[in-house]
């Protein structure tokens, strides 16, 4: 698909993450005013709440932009999602007769503060990159037992915390917890010494499923509203001590950052990719009827306080073993009810190469191979004051579908009361 040109000229640049082909959904505020729903176009944001109030956006049902969250639109279902996208293209495309009515509702992205784009219902995180699972398994259990016996059959996941999912730029306080060195008799309690990021994509569930009712992979794909970048901050020392037998708990519960713009499934349609060949055939309920991964180039950079950033890794979402649709199908397979606004973390996205690893745990191989930053400093794990920034984009012919940044700066741990 070629670039769709807009009368918002900054949207026609090769460099903008937000051409008319993208139209990502966010929530913004200006100068401390109440947050409102907006759509990014070039370096501007269209205030869709104002457009709706002026009668320029009318989905023929209840108003959907009364709340500073995209959940009401999601709840109206895929027909409304498609209708809104058609209306937005009509309003913003080059030569649109609506330009004079619309121009007054554009604000500059440079002037706004971004907020959580939706209310997170529940958060589940998966473990779906074979390269990541193999790397971590090798470090935790040795190369013979790297991939657990269930891994090639089940999209492994755990139920995380929605309460600490935060929007990009929210500061992240270093967690404290129980830590036990391998040679110590007793655990101790204190600040995490092995703080890490995990480069992930978050899938947002836009349709609910009923308790007791499984969904097919095709139905699951249809239920997904869109995607955000997601940093599943991880305390590796807390994790190593607590994770058996029920999986991560406090090591992951303290924070999850997401990018502020929901990139819709519709915007990514041209970038669908088939999953890699299955090592063992999946059970029929998990088999994909079509391509459900996406070609999305991803990058993580780390910047010490007041210093330039160093790119630590570059990888691609198309290298995952399980798609979000397969994960959602598996999630509902027992009869677990899924709700509008549920967030599914893809799992750390690592490629096969050393420079494609999606966490510091892998990049520094458990802390044994420190990385040298462009500033000359080294890092095994994240230090106080470091800012970690995830970026990503699907690269089209002369345009890109960008996600905007998912950033977070780490603050020192708060002493235990
Ligand atoms: Mn994770």
């Amino acid at each position: 698909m070629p670039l769709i040109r807009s009368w918002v000229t900054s949207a026609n640049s090769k460099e903008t993450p937000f051409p008319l082909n993208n139209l990502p959904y966010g929530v913004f505020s200006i100068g401390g005013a109440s947050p409102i729903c907006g759509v990014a176009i070039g370096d501007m944001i269209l205030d869709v709440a104002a457009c709706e109030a002026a009668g320029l956006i009318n989905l023929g049902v209840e108003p959907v932009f009364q709340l500073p969250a995209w959940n009401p639109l999601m709840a109206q279902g895929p027909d409304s999602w498609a209708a809104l996208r058609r209306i937005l293209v009509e309003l913003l495309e080059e030569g649109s007769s609506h330009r004079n009515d619309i121009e007054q509702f554009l604000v500059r992205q440079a002037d706004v503060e971004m907020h959580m784009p939706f209310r997170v219902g529940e958060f589940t995180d998966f473990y779906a990159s074979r390269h990541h699972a193999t790397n971590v398994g090798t470090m935790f259990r040795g190369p013979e037992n790297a991939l657990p016996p269930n891994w090639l059959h089940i999209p492994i996941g755990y139920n995380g915390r929605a309460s600490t999912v935060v929007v990009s730029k929210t500061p992240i306080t270093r967690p404290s917890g129980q830590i036990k060195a391998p040679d110590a008799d007793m655990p101790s309690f204190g600040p995490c010494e092995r703080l890490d990021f995990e480069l992930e994509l978050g899938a947002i569930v836009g349709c609910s499923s009923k308790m007791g009712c499984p969904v097919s992979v095709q139905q699951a794909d249809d239920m997904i509203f869109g995607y955000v970048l997601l940093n599943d901050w991880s305390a590796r020392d807390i994790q190593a001590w607590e994770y058996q037998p029920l999986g991560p708990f406090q090591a992951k519960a303290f924070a999850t950052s997401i990018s502020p713009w929901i990139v819709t499934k519709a915007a990514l349609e041209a970038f669908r990719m088939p999953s890699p060949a299955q090592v063992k055939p999946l059970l029929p309920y998990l088999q994909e009827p079509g391509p459900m991964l996406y070609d999305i180039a991803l990058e993580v950079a780390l910047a010490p306080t007041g210093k330039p950033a160093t790119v630590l890794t570059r990888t691609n979402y198309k290298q995952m073993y399980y798609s979000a649709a397969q994960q959602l199908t598996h999630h509902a397979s027992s009869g677990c009810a899924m709700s509008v606004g549920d967030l599914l973390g893809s799992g750390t996205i690592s490629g096969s190469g050393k420079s494609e690893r999606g966490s510091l745990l892998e990049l520094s191989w458990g802390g044994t191979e420190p990385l040298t930053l462009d500033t000359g400093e080294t890092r095994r794990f994240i230090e106080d004051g470091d800012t970690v920034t995830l970026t990503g984009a699907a690269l089209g012919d002369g345009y890109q579908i960008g996600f905007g940044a998912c950033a977070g700066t780490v603050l020192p741990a708060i002493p235990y009361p």
Side-chain angles (χ1 to χ4, degrees):
M1 175 182 269
L3 171 74
I4 311 169
R5 296 184 66 84
S6 171
W7 53 261
V8 180
T9 50
S10 60
N12 301 326
S13 138
K14 266 198 298 215
E15 277 75 42
T16 181
F18 309 128
L20 189 49
N21 303 56
N22 193 346
L23 296 175
Y25 301 154
V27 168
F28 71 99
S29 65
I30 304 177
S34 299
I36 31 183
C37 287
V39 177
I41 178 80
D43 58 7
M44 309 295 280
I45 299 175
L46 181 64
D47 177 345
V48 287
C51 291
E52 184 178 59
L56 290 159
I57 294 177
N58 181 356
L59 294 171
V61 277
E62 300 287 301
V64 291
F65 301 123
Q66 302 298 302
L67 294 177
W70 284 81
N71 304 57
L73 176 77
M74 292 186 219
Q76 290 201 353
D79 289 348
S80 279
W81 310 350
L84 176 62
R85 190 169 169 86
R86 275 195 304 274
I87 292 168
L88 290 170
V89 170
E90 193 186 313
L91 295 177
L92 293 167
E93 71 186 340
E94 203 169 60
S96 169
S97 57
H98 303 284
R99 176 173 178 168
N100 287 341
D101 303 324
I102 287 294
E103 236 164 354
Q104 59 186 312
F105 300 124
L106 287 173
V107 299
R108 283 157 28 104
Q109 276 170 40
D111 296 338
V112 309
E113 185 187 344
M114 298 302 296
H115 303 268
M116 278 294 289
F118 68 108
R119 288 189 186 153
V120 182
E122 299 187 60
F123 170 51
T124 306
D125 194 43
F126 286 88
Y127 191 54
S129 154
R130 196 171 149 216
H131 306 295
H132 172 70
T134 303
N135 286 337
V136 173
T138 302
M139 279 182 268
F140 278 42
R141 289 179 297 274
E144 314 76 42
N145 304 309
L147 273 190
N150 54 7
W151 199 91
L152 292 168
H153 302 279
I154 300 180
I156 305 283
Y158 64 93
N159 288 302
R161 293 293 302 176
S163 62
T164 33
V165 178
V166 294
V167 74
S168 175
K169 294 189 179 171
T170 305
I172 304 300
T173 300
R174 178 177 298 273
S176 292
Q178 275 203 29
I179 297 163
K180 185 186 150 319
D183 53 354
D185 291 335
M186 287 281 292
S188 58
F189 187 95
C192 165
E193 291 172 1
R194 292 160 73 94
L195 183 60
D196 203 354
F197 62 83
E198 288 191 341
L199 166 59
E200 304 194 18
L201 210 60
I204 300 159
V205 177
C207 300
S208 59
S209 71
K210 285 200 175 71
M211 183 174 170
C213 295
V215 299
S216 69
V217 179
Q218 183 60 59
Q219 286 169 330
D221 191 64
D222 295 341
M223 286 166 68
I224 294 171
F225 180 69
Y227 293 86
V228 287
L229 299 177
L230 185 151
N231 182 350
D232 178 28
W233 301 93
S234 299
R236 299 303 182 192
D237 38 9
I238 298 172
Q239 185 179 1
W241 171 233
E242 75 174 4
Y243 88 106
Q244 288 176 320
L246 287 183
F249 186 44
Q250 295 305 297
K252 306 277 194 169
F254 62 95
T256 305
S257 299
I258 64 168
S259 51
W261 296 104
I262 303 171
V263 174
T264 62
K265 188 177 54 186
L268 292 168
E269 211 46 52
F271 302 92
R272 278 187 185 264
M273 296 289 290
S275 298
Q278 303 294 327
V279 179
K280 293 191 177 171
L282 289 171
L283 294 173
Y285 84 103
L286 281 175
Q287 284 171 15
E288 288 178 328
M292 290 182 177
L293 289 177
Y294 297 94
D295 184 354
I296 301 169
L298 300 162
E299 196 172 289
V300 181
L302 184 146
T305 311
K307 300 220 175 107
T310 301
V311 175
L312 300 182
T313 186
R314 289 189 174 91
T315 185
N316 195 300
Y317 179 65
K318 70 183 176 189
Q319 306 205 46
M320 298 303 273
Y321 196 79
Y322 294 104
S323 66
Q326 287 171 312
Q327 292 169 333
L328 178 50
T329 290
H330 183 66
H331 209 324
S333 62
S334 63
C336 172
M338 302 303 296
S339 307
V340 172
D342 284 353
L343 177 64
L344 309 185
S346 60
T348 307
I349 303 167
S350 292
S352 53
K354 239 181 148 170
S355 62
E356 299 175 286
R357 296 171 177 170
S359 66
L360 275 172
L361 179 70
E362 296 165 270
L363 288 162
S364 74
W365 204 252
T368 60
E369 299 171 17
L371 304 177
T372 302
L373 306 179
D374 295 347
T375 58
E377 294 161 74
T378 58
R379 285 292 181 280
R380 294 156 59 246
F381 292 97
I382 302 167
E383 297 191 2
D384 290 345
D386 286 352
T387 298
V388 176
T389 304
L390 281 50
T391 50
L395 304 174
D397 186 9
Y399 70 96
Q400 50 178 303
I401 304 293
F403 280 76
C406 173
T409 301
V410 172
L411 304 181
I414 295 175
Y416 201 74

